[in-house]
Amino acid sequence: MARLDQLLGRLKSGDACTAASLAKELGISTRTLMRDLDDLKELGYPIESDQGRGGGVRLHPRWGIGRLALNYREVIDLLLSISVLEKMQSPLLLENLSSVRNKLFASFPDAQRQNVAQFRRRILVGDLASKHVSGSYQGDLEIPNAHLVLEGFFEKKCLTINYSREDGEQNLRKVEVHYLFLNWPVWYLIAWDYLRSAPRTFRIDRIKEVNLTNESFNIKPLSTFTDELSQFAKAL
């Protein structure tokens, strides 16, 4: 990482440099340099190179968002935030949101774009929560190890959760989180429930404890959850 930082700093300087001169300056082989350049491209830096005599390596003159070196989770956060704003129909900021979203998605490295697209399909954004739902919303900031919910979602790992039903009864459930649904401000887990051997929806603010397991799962198509989502929509 220190070498990548050094290489990136050299490219940011704007000075013309060849692959051979960069490799010599960093004390590495040309092959290693090319691998390092590929790693930087994977991180989102728009690096250009010219082949042949007199060719060089440089950052694109208008490298823009690439300087942030966003990973796919950060991109998902930004895309989701834009989707939420669009759903809220705010009279402010709407004019350029679609353009920002498209440019953000397009700026991501080709190798990672498929991952971003997959995660976007697994995050569903509905309308604003009803007064009944928002009135009973307890917030989700006090859940112990709340970050593990996203860890299980992104890494496709099973979770065990201590879940409190609407009547207050708590029980331990083992779940696969296939989709996330936002009915602002309330998040729901659209999951496969091992206890019921069926799809179930869990409101995130009713999760009292969550733990990550080492068990992996494969994503089920959204059609698997059609009946559950239909019942869930009636309850909103």
Side-chain angles (χ1 to χ4, degrees), residues 97-114:
L97 283 182
S98 294
S99 175
V100 171
R101 182 187 61 231
N102 293 337
K103 288 179 180 178
L104 180 62
F105 186 64
S107 71
F108 213 71
D110 291 341
Q112 293 294 340
R113 201 170 296 167
Q114 186 175 356

Side-chain angles (χ1 to χ4, degrees), residues 175-196:
V175 300
E176 302 171 354
V177 182
H178 290 266
Y179 299 88
L180 298 178
F181 180 82
L182 175 62
N183 192 218
W184 181 266
V186 187
W187 280 100
Y188 297 86
L189 312 183
I190 310 299
W192 182 265
D193 180 14
Y194 280 73
L195 180 64
R196 307 298 184 194

Side-chain angles (χ1 to χ4, degrees), residues 207-226:
I207 297 175
K208 303 307 176 184
E209 186 179 358
V210 57
N211 289 287
L212 187 69
T213 76
N214 290 321
E215 299 178 59
S216 301
F217 63 88
N218 294 319
I219 299 299
K220 298 182 187 297
L222 190 59
S223 57
T224 304
F225 302 88
T226 299

